[in-house]
Amino acid sequence: MSTFPHRFVAALCCLAFGLLAAPPASADRVDDATLRAALVVERARPLAPRIERSAFLVDASIRSPVLSPDGRGVAYLQARGRNHEVWLLATAGGPPRRLLSTSDARQLYWSRNGRWLLLESPKQLFALAVAGQSGSGIVTTLGGRESRTIEAVDPQHPEAVIALERLRANRVAPQRWRLLRVDMRGRRTVLHEDTRQIAGFAFDAHGRLAFLERVEDLALVVHRVQAGGRLRELLRCPRMHRCSLLPATNPAGEALLRSDMGSDLHRVARLDGQGRLQTVHIDPRGEADLDQLVLDPTTGQPLIASYRSTVAASHGLDADTKRGVDAIARRFPQRNLRVQIGRGAAAQWLVSERASTLQSERLHLYHPRSGQFRRVLADAPALQQRSGMPAPWLPESALARKIPIRWRASDGMRLHGFVLVPPGVDPARAPLVAHPHGGPWNHSRPEYGAIAQFLVNRGHVVFEPNFRGSTGHGRQYMFSARGDFGNGRVQRDIVEGVRHVLAMGIGDARRVGIVGGSFGGYSTLLGVTFEPELFKVGIAFVPPPDFASNLRWIARSREALNLSGFIPFADVARLLSLDTQDRDVMARLHAQSPLANVARLRRPVVLIASGEDRRVGISGVIEYAARLKLLGKDVSLLVDPDAGHANHDPIAREAGLHLLEHMLHRHLGGAAPSPPTRELRDHLKRNLRIAGRDLR
């Protein structure tokens, strides 16, 4: 399989109006019956033991496992403290072989002919000779003034990559984008240069540039490349339609895309020379956007389409691949599977097995001819985040399964999410914690989550709603939010989802809390502010207290969200009905914000913020906490002065879990926290700026 990321994938959907078509009420009854059956299974499981906090915060030592194109080797990074080693495992058997003892690489790829292993780090791409040849060295520098990036392993040339660089404007020339072919010796060939931003490309069977995608105003436009480099427009994808070219054309000379043009869902499509777009594969369930596309490592043609919304499913796109994918699914039922395909008589496939009950992926080799499976790298340890020393993985028997749940909003729209219940526990008697995701243009997936599993282990039911505005379920699902991200339609989806969960006999209605990070933290503050009878406590990580102010902050920030892939954030926000220049829109969001309604807060809140956050300005969080403090509200504020929006410091992450555990125990009756270590006490003492009643 070609595992190189094709970065020309726009992250969001086109503008559409109206709610999703409501299925018949019988579908709701089927959903409820399926949920009840799953709850019976969970209650019959053995009770899970209490697990220490730090055990939920471990990392895998194996990083970026990649199968060679001929399926004969698996290269991977092995973490040793802060260092990475490069290893190669022969699929035929035998111990792995260390290729490099130290590397700053964060991602590995193979050249098309499998003779070179490519090591990508933030500043360079390094080619490592693995077939006995000489010539290992730097292929090209990355980043820098030219903002150079590697976009794909060349789908036609055996020993080359495709790079994109931006040439800044100067006194004699405007800003330009340049598409390059770079071989393993660093020799560069300019394939195309343009004053418009290049967003995608595809080659014919001879390695010639056949299709080019550019950003034109607020549209992605696919062109056919003609003689002399002339461009002929074939397809225009306006208003944040997703149209992402795959690097190689099919044998008929047609372009292949990941696209939602002409469809609500993101799917695999082909584009002919007349600009006609036809579907190659779309989610058979009619529910999920395309998540991953596996390409043939030698031809670049799509082989496997995977969808991961409430369930994970993979589909082979030709007869041979389908037989292999079906065999893998039978061997690992109800798992989230990612497959890398090798080509050749002795080629094996690399299968990554994931699940909500697996703290890290498990790797297997599959031989499609014999049908045999073999677990590989099973002895690779977990690493404690704090010390970097080996640590045991959490047993699958102690972790909660993510159970898909659907509910109907009060306006009729059918919504998706997950519930997790403690094994062996009557869910009706357990406290319930709502855990909305961040973004908001993101979604909860059927995979492991440390915070959710920690909460379940402490005796809580966890509800993860994919409210409207979430991605992964098609463009109508996302755009149906219509910018109503205050105390409005989106928040009602979450509240109505919680009430549906309670009505299904899941969770004690007298003991409900809400927890979230980023937008999920904002939703947490909305919940305890406007629904105090429902939510008894809120813990918010890096929360924007005013979504309107935060949108304007993001637009100005150096880390401005690049939601569409290419369209400026201000234009994206306008297409999402969140125009930051529209005073009425911003005034409405502010009026409904937790910041503007501090006097209404009646429940305790804990705010966990970061001093170097470029997504949520620390000044807004401090202002919110100060206003609450002046009004005598029960607020606690923890600030890590050196952290960004995502805090990777192990002790800081454990501090967050400790505060979760402490507050939920005090207000929902969950398990009492174990005493903090000295290091954790010191962290809390240094960084707890305001201590509420429960933390004094």
Side-chain angles (χ1 to χ4, degrees):
M1 182 194 86
S2 173
T3 59
F4 206 101
H6 187 49
R7 295 186 177 120
F8 298 143
V9 179
L12 293 181
C13 315
C14 88
L15 186 58
F17 297 96
L19 298 175
L20 296 176
S26 59
D28 296 342
R29 290 195 292 270
V30 170
D31 289 341
D32 291 350
T34 302
L35 175 61
R36 290 191 176 97
L39 293 173
V40 170
V41 173
E42 295 306 292
R43 188 170 181 181
R45 294 175 64 192
L47 286 169
R50 182 187 173 99
I51 300 170
E52 63 177 283
R53 283 186 300 267
S54 61
F56 291 91
L57 301 174
V58 297
D59 288 326
S61 64
I62 298 296
R63 316 279 170 83
S64 186
V66 288
L67 182 71
S68 62
D70 61 7
R72 295 176 179 269
V74 177
Y76 59 93
L77 297 170
Q78 175 89 51
R80 301 288 187 191
R82 296 184 178 181
N83 180 47
H84 281 158
E85 302 172 344
V86 182
W87 289 77
L88 180 62
L89 173 72
T91 58
R97 175 167 58 100
R98 189 171 66 182
L99 303 180
L100 284 178
S101 60
T102 183
S103 173
D104 61 352
R106 294 297 178 264
Q107 189 69 42
L108 302 179
Y109 317 104
W110 289 92
S111 64
R112 182 172 174 267
N113 63 5
R115 291 171 54 83
W116 301 88
L117 186 61
L118 304 172
L119 287 62
E120 184 182 10
S121 67
K123 294 185 178 181
Q124 67 183 30
L125 182 72
F126 186 89
L128 183 63
V130 293
Q133 77 276 29
S134 62
S136 296
I138 296 174
V139 174
T140 183
T141 57
L142 301 176
R145 180 174 174 79
E146 293 82 14
S147 304
R148 188 179 301 115
T149 57
I150 300 300
E151 300 301 328
V153 169
D154 196 307
Q156 299 299 339
H157 283 239
E159 298 185 352
V161 296
I162 305 301
L164 181 67
E165 63 184 15
R166 183 184 66 182
L167 305 178
R168 299 179 184 274
N170 55 42
R171 294 180 179 179
V172 297
Q175 181 171 244
R176 292 160 292 151
W177 281 263
R178 184 181 285 168
L179 191 68
L180 306 170
R181 172 175 282 131
V182 187
D183 69 14
M184 297 300 100
R185 308 294 179 181
R187 292 186 291 260
R188 297 151 49 102
T189 303
V190 177
L191 303 174
H192 184 81
E193 187 170 317
D194 210 300
T195 56
R196 294 183 183 269
Q197 185 175 358
I198 296 172
F201 51 88
F203 299 97
D204 63 19
H206 302 287
R208 294 185 295 256
L209 187 63
F211 294 87
L212 187 80
E213 186 174 13
R214 304 189 308 185
V215 181
E216 300 181 13
D217 298 324
L218 299 184
L220 293 173
V221 183
V222 178
H223 299 267
R224 183 71 160 137
V225 181
Q226 299 180 310
R230 296 190 307 275
L231 302 180
R232 178 168 62 89
E233 181 177 324
L234 288 181
L235 178 67
R236 182 169 291 265
C237 305
R239 302 177 71 83
M240 294 170 56
H241 270 285
R242 292 169 293 179
C243 293
S244 302
L245 280 171
L246 301 183
T249 62
N250 67 15
E254 298 169 320
L256 294 162
L257 298 91
R258 300 168 55 126
S259 179
D260 62 6
M261 281 291 291
S263 167
D264 179 58
L265 296 174
H266 198 207
R267 85 285 196 204
V268 188
R270 65 174 178 265
L271 179 69
D272 67 19
Q274 285 70 49
R276 294 186 293 259
L277 198 63
Q278 293 184 331
T279 296
V280 174
H281 199 271
I282 195 168
D283 181 20
R285 293 167 54 90
E287 177 186 286
D289 283 331
L290 178 68
D291 179 74
Q292 185 187 41
L293 191 61
V294 177
L295 306 180
D296 188 298
T298 57
T299 67
Q301 299 305 301
L303 294 178
I304 303 175
S306 298
Y307 306 87
R308 295 176 179 86
S309 55
T310 53
V311 298
S314 296
H315 305 271
L317 303 184
D318 61 48
D320 289 341
T321 307
K322 184 178 185 305
R323 281 191 291 271
V325 171
D326 291 348
I328 294 169
R330 288 192 297 270
R331 178 66 175 81
F332 305 108
Q334 299 180 337
R335 295 300 208 189
N336 185 345
L337 302 172
R338 299 177 187 271
V339 181
Q340 300 180 39
I341 291 180
R343 286 306 201 195
Q348 298 193 49
W349 296 5
L350 181 64
V351 179
S352 168
E353 174 198 7
R354 305 182 186 191
S356 60
T357 52
L358 292 178
Q359 202 173 15
S360 180
E361 66 179 353
R362 292 175 180 171
L363 296 172
H364 310 266
L365 287 172
Y366 166 63
H367 199 296
R369 293 198 173 186
S370 68
Q372 294 181 338
F373 292 86
R374 176 164 59 93
R375 179 94 181 266
V376 292
L377 305 176
D379 57 347
L383 297 177
Q384 293 179 350
Q385 289 187 344
R386 192 181 306 173
S387 66
M389 299 298 293
W393 291 115
L394 294 179
E396 188 174 4
S397 60
L399 298 178
R401 300 185 180 100
K402 277 194 172 183
I403 305 172
I405 184 172
R406 298 175 181 86
W407 72 101
R408 197 173 296 282
S410 55
D411 63 356
M413 183 170 171
R414 197 165 181 245
L415 299 165
H416 305 275
F418 299 94
V419 292
L420 300 87
V421 300
V425 168
D426 180 359
R429 298 178 180 272
L432 171 65
V433 177
H435 184 211
H437 62 73
W441 304 287
N442 200 343
H443 62 282
S444 296
R445 296 167 175 84
E447 55 193 34
Y448 175 83
I451 288 180
Q453 293 291 352
F454 174 74
L455 293 174
V456 170
N457 187 256
R458 294 312 190 254
H460 303 87
V461 172
V462 176
F463 169 52
E464 295 186 340
N466 280 332
F467 43 84
R468 77 189 70 196
S470 301
T471 56
H473 293 284
R475 67 176 183 266
Q476 290 189 54
Y477 198 95
M478 192 190 74
F479 276 92
S480 61
R482 298 185 183 179
D484 199 2
F485 288 101
N487 184 39
R489 184 63 263 176
V490 171
Q491 188 67 13
R492 285 200 298 276
D493 287 349
I494 298 169
V495 171
E496 290 168 3
V498 171
R499 297 193 187 282
H500 176 78
V501 170
L502 293 170
M504 293 293 295
I506 307 171
D508 183 346
R510 299 166 299 175
R511 298 185 292 158
V512 180
I514 184 167
V515 170
S518 195
F519 181 85
Y522 170 72
S523 178
T524 294
L525 300 183
L526 286 174
V528 290
T529 300
F530 294 103
E531 298 286 343
E533 299 306 317
L534 179 62
F535 299 113
K536 306 304 188 295
V537 62
I539 301 94
F541 295 79
V542 290
D546 182 347
F547 194 53
S549 176
N550 189 235
L551 288 172
R552 292 190 290 264
W553 166 271
I554 291 172
R556 297 191 303 267
S557 171
R558 290 174 296 172
E559 297 182 16
L561 292 174
N562 195 10
L563 297 177
S564 74
F566 305 101
I567 301 173
F569 177 77
D571 294 310
V572 169
R574 179 171 52 80
L575 293 172
L576 292 168
S577 304
L578 291 168
D579 188 350
T580 57
Q581 301 302 313
D582 188 321
R583 294 185 178 181
D584 292 339
V585 170
M586 294 296 102
R588 172 178 56 81
L589 282 176
H590 172 72
Q592 297 177 2
S593 70
L595 181 64
N597 291 275
V598 289
R600 299 184 60 158
L601 185 70
R602 291 163 35 202
R603 297 299 184 187
V605 295
V606 175
L607 310 173
I608 301 172
S610 297
E612 295 298 323
D613 197 335
R614 294 295 181 268
R615 295 284 173 85
V616 175
I618 186 64
S619 59
V621 181
I622 291 175
E623 178 189 1
Y624 176 66
R627 289 192 187 185
L628 292 175
K629 181 70 173 176
L630 288 173
L631 292 174
K633 306 295 183 178
D634 190 357
V635 58
S636 300
L637 173 64
L638 182 78
V639 179
D640 188 331
D642 301 319
H645 192 61
N647 195 333
H648 301 290
D649 179 61
I651 193 65
R653 296 187 66 192
E654 187 176 350
L657 295 186
H658 172 73
L659 294 178
L660 277 176
E661 189 176 20
H662 181 85
M663 295 298 292
L664 296 179
H665 165 67
R666 294 294 296 268
H667 295 276
L668 304 186
S674 56
T677 63
R678 176 179 295 179
E679 186 178 10
L680 182 54
R681 287 199 306 271
D682 290 344
H683 178 86
L684 293 170
K685 184 177 180 179
R686 287 194 310 271
N687 297 313
L688 191 64
R689 309 305 170 89
I690 300 176
R693 297 177 191 132
D694 300 297
L695 298 180
R696 291 171 185 165

